Amino acid sequence: MCGITGWVAFDSDLTQQRPVVEAMTAAMSDRGPDASGTWLRRHVALGHRRLAVIDLPGGVQPMEADTGHGAVALTFSGEVYNFRELRTELERRGHRFRTRSDTEVVLRGYLEWGERVADRLTGMYAFALWDDRTGTLVLVRDRVGVKPLYVHRTSDGVLFGSEPKAILANPLFPRVVDVDCLRELVGFTKAPGWSLWRGMSEVEPGTVVTVDRSGVRRRTYWTLRTAPHTDDLATTTGRVGELFGAAVRGQTVSDVPQSVLLSGGLDSSAVTAVAAAELAGRGEKARTFSVDFLGYEENFTPDELWETPDSPFVRDVAEHVGSVHRDIVLDSRALADPALRRAVVAARDMPIGLGDIDSSMYLLFRAIRGECSVALSGEFADELFGGYAWFHHEAARNADTFPWLAFSNAYTGDRTEMLRPGLRDRLDIGAYVADEYATAVAAVDHLESDDTLERRMRTSTHLHVTRLVRAMLDRKDRMSMAVGLEVRVPFADHRLIEYVYNVPWSMKAAGGREKSLLRDAVAGLLPRSVVERVKSPYPSTQDVGYAVALQHQASGVLAAPETGVFEVFDAGWVRSAVAMDPAAVTGRLRTGLERVLDMHHWLDLYRPDLRLD
């Protein structure tokens, strides 16, 4: 896992721009704390920051191959889980390897198959290849978007990077944020290709981008495809178990210490069980980590989102699989630290406003990084198997909008109420969301045999797998890579996704139970308490002291209005929230204050050119 960046300029001499390229590379130092490298030619510059996981001495980048007709250079981020099989095939075809790394497999795979090497890879990755023979840059992103990649077109080429901050480090990029940029930040539809910065876009998952003197071209090499499902329920359950187990086992390849994120929920517990069994076969014990809050279990109060605390279920699983477990216990003072918020905003490159949900994950990952370099996660299961509450809420799933926006609870509602009135009108979030929803639904193919419910649920699953989960994966990547931790996502294996996507809803939710298909597929691996546990979201502190800290910090922002925060937010709304009883600052009110504080730090860190009129 690493950070990549680069610059292609067909009308410029980039050998004179080494300081700029090094600044772009250094901007992602957190993603790659182990090594840094650059590769420059007249019209191209590549940068790389390395987190060493496989072949520690051999995987140095950027990596170059001399073809005899020109060099081919690669800067690569991520992991290719089938690199050993591909290496064997390439060796049969006459290739000779200097290292044991998956990076060299990708490089030599390109020499053999060209950009079609992307079709052969299984893993999470984003990479760039420069081919001197043709004067071509090739950018590739993994099928579902586990690893990020951004690009900006210039007058004579492109800038690219794993994160916006790499592109922002180049003085050619204009730091403009306008009303169009803000719509998605507020609307939360996860529009494909969106970036907060005008002129910058995200390379879409499953895409190859080719850049040469004639322009920029894109090819989609993977997409969700609708197909009939012919297996019965018993066969389907068995097949899900096989595909899931193979995905987890394939992702335990590492030359450094690894671990599993364990919440006590079905998904992370299933990953833990399979990984623990695989590691035990090698004579190793699984290490597991969970996040908790000081006094959370003892003082827990159930609400509409959280029925139970995680800790009892975490203990059940750790004991069941025999893992070496550690709870990372946080208090509200640490979570409310402005320096922590600033670090999280810098990691995300945007003021997303998730507050302690992001900051606790950052602290969890930082603690894990002190002991391990790799962690496995249960991310992607809820989107694929239908785990979220709104999959099973009739009004939300039948609404003509994104289900996560239609679902009503204490944290949902008018996402614009805290914005400055004039800006709220210009954003017109309702129209924006409606347009995005229409575009998203139009991309879904159905079978003639699908009834009304099946069509609705196939559409909902498609929206989650191609939209919502990308936001979740981005969050996981940014929080983990900010502390140099690689997080792997077995449920994001494309073979599992392709199979489960086409399983009828009646099988996914048999008996009216959320994720019943997955429950049955992994039931034999887990304690009964976990198999029967109701879905619980990522935990959030219930300590009223956290709300008090938010109000105090927001008061400081009100006292310094020249920061620009109130070009976006309504100062009257903030004053009202600050004056409330802290015990009432929950749900949507708390989220609003989180957004105000995030914006305060983001404006100071990035100094954008706001054009909101």
Side-chain angles (χ1 to χ4, degrees), residues 231-251 270 274 278 385 490-491 493 495-497 499-500 517-518 520-523 525:
D231 293 341
D232 62 19
L233 180 56
T235 303
T236 299
T237 303
R239 183 62 176 151
V240 167
E242 292 169 2
L243 289 168
F244 168 66
V248 175
R249 289 188 291 273
Q251 296 190 24
V274 176
E278 176 68 14
F385 287 92
F491 281 108
D493 185 286
R495 295 159 297 189
L496 178 64
I497 294 168
Y499 185 78
V500 175
L517 175 60
L518 179 60
D520 290 343
V522 301
L525 305 173

Side-chain angles (χ1 to χ4, degrees), residues 128 195 515 593:
S195 161
K515 292 193 290 193
L593 287 178

Side-chain angles (χ1 to χ4, degrees), residues 153-364:
R153 291 190 69 172
T154 65
S155 61
D156 67 338
V158 296
L159 304 172
F160 68 87
S162 292
E163 298 179 2
K165 58 175 61 72
I167 296 173
L168 292 168
N170 191 306
L172 282 181
F173 185 78
R175 295 183 170 222
V176 174
V177 174
D178 60 19
V179 171
D180 288 337
C181 301
L182 283 183
R183 285 194 177 97
E184 175 57 34
L185 184 68
V186 178
F188 196 57
T189 73
K190 198 58 177 90
W194 174 79
S195 161
L196 180 57
W197 303 91
R198 191 170 77 181
M200 188 188 302
S201 61
E202 190 178 27
V203 175
E204 292 187 38
T207 300
V208 176
V209 178
T210 305
V211 183
D212 58 24
R213 285 187 176 274
S214 66
V216 178
R217 297 176 299 283
R218 291 173 174 80
R219 175 178 76 88
T220 300
Y221 70 91
W222 186 85
T223 189
L224 272 180
R225 299 191 186 281
T226 299
H229 184 78
T230 57
D231 293 341
D232 62 19
L233 180 56
T235 303
T236 299
T237 303
R239 183 62 176 151
V240 167
E242 292 169 2
L243 289 168
F244 168 66
V248 175
R249 289 188 291 273
Q251 296 190 24
T252 60
V253 177
S254 175
D255 291 339
V256 296
Q258 56 188 301
S259 60
V260 186
L261 307 175
L262 176 59
S263 71
L266 181 70
D267 315 330
S268 67
S269 299
V271 173
T272 298
V274 176
E278 176 68 14
L279 293 172
R282 305 179 201 166
E284 302 176 41
K285 275 209 165 203
R287 305 184 193 191
T288 53
F289 293 85
S290 65
V291 67
D292 199 2
F293 304 107
L294 191 65
Y296 188 76
E297 183 177 359
E298 298 84 349
N299 301 302
F300 180 80
T301 302
D303 61 25
E304 59 184 325
L305 287 181
W306 292 277
E307 291 190 10
T308 56
D310 289 343
S311 298
F313 303 95
V314 168
R315 290 192 291 268
D316 286 351
V317 175
E319 181 179 351
H320 184 76
V321 305
S323 67
V324 178
H325 182 73
R326 180 183 170 196
D327 291 316
I328 308 302
V329 182
L330 309 174
D331 62 33
S332 59
R333 181 177 300 180
L335 290 170
D337 185 350
L340 173 61
R341 182 179 298 276
R342 192 175 183 85
V344 169
V345 170
R348 294 295 295 261
D349 285 322
M350 59 182 175
I352 197 68
L354 291 181
D356 70 308
I357 293 177
D358 269 359
S359 56
S360 63
M361 180 175 283
Y362 179 97
L363 293 174
L364 168 65

Side-chain angles (χ1 to χ4, degrees), residues 30 47 54 59 87 139 181 186 253 260 353 361 401 419 424 487 543:
D30 290 339
I54 294 176
R87 178 184 176 120
L139 301 172
C181 301
V186 178
V253 177
V260 186
M361 180 175 283
T401 189
L419 300 179
R424 187 164 60 230
V487 176
D543 186 353

Side-chain angles (χ1 to χ4, degrees), residues 13-161:
D13 182 1
L14 295 185
T15 62
Q16 305 302 310
Q17 298 293 335
R18 181 175 293 276
V20 175
V21 177
E22 290 179 346
M24 294 171 68
T25 306
M28 297 181 302
S29 58
D30 290 339
R31 294 187 73 90
D34 296 328
S36 177
T38 56
W39 187 89
L40 279 74
R41 294 295 185 270
R42 183 173 180 81
H43 298 306
V44 61
L46 304 178
H48 188 266
R49 293 291 312 199
R50 187 182 185 206
L51 171 61
V53 172
I54 294 176
D55 190 8
L56 276 59
V60 177
Q61 297 187 53
M63 187 175 287
E64 179 182 353
D66 187 357
T67 68
H69 304 285
V72 175
L74 169 67
T75 182
F76 175 88
S77 169
E79 303 293 341
V80 174
Y81 302 124
N82 65 332
F83 78 97
R84 288 171 174 153
E85 297 91 327
L86 292 174
R87 178 184 176 120
T88 299
E89 182 176 354
L90 288 164
E91 287 175 333
R92 284 200 301 264
R93 292 171 177 260
H95 290 267
R96 296 293 175 263
F97 288 82
R98 305 188 309 272
T99 73
R100 296 185 297 106
S101 69
D102 56 348
T103 301
E104 189 177 7
V105 170
V106 175
L107 178 58
R108 298 206 165 271
Y110 174 80
L111 297 179
E112 182 67 31
W113 299 300
E115 54 128 274
R116 294 282 172 180
V117 66
D119 302 74
R120 296 172 177 264
L121 303 177
T122 297
M124 55 178 192
Y125 46 81
F127 60 88
L129 283 146
W130 173 261
D131 193 334
D132 249 346
R133 299 170 298 179
T134 58
T136 301
L137 176 75
V138 178
L139 301 172
V140 179
R141 192 174 181 205
D142 67 63
R143 289 173 177 81
V144 298
V146 181
K147 303 315 298 174
L149 184 58
Y150 292 83
V151 65
H152 166 66
R153 291 190 69 172
T154 65
S155 61
D156 67 338
V158 296
L159 304 172
F160 68 87

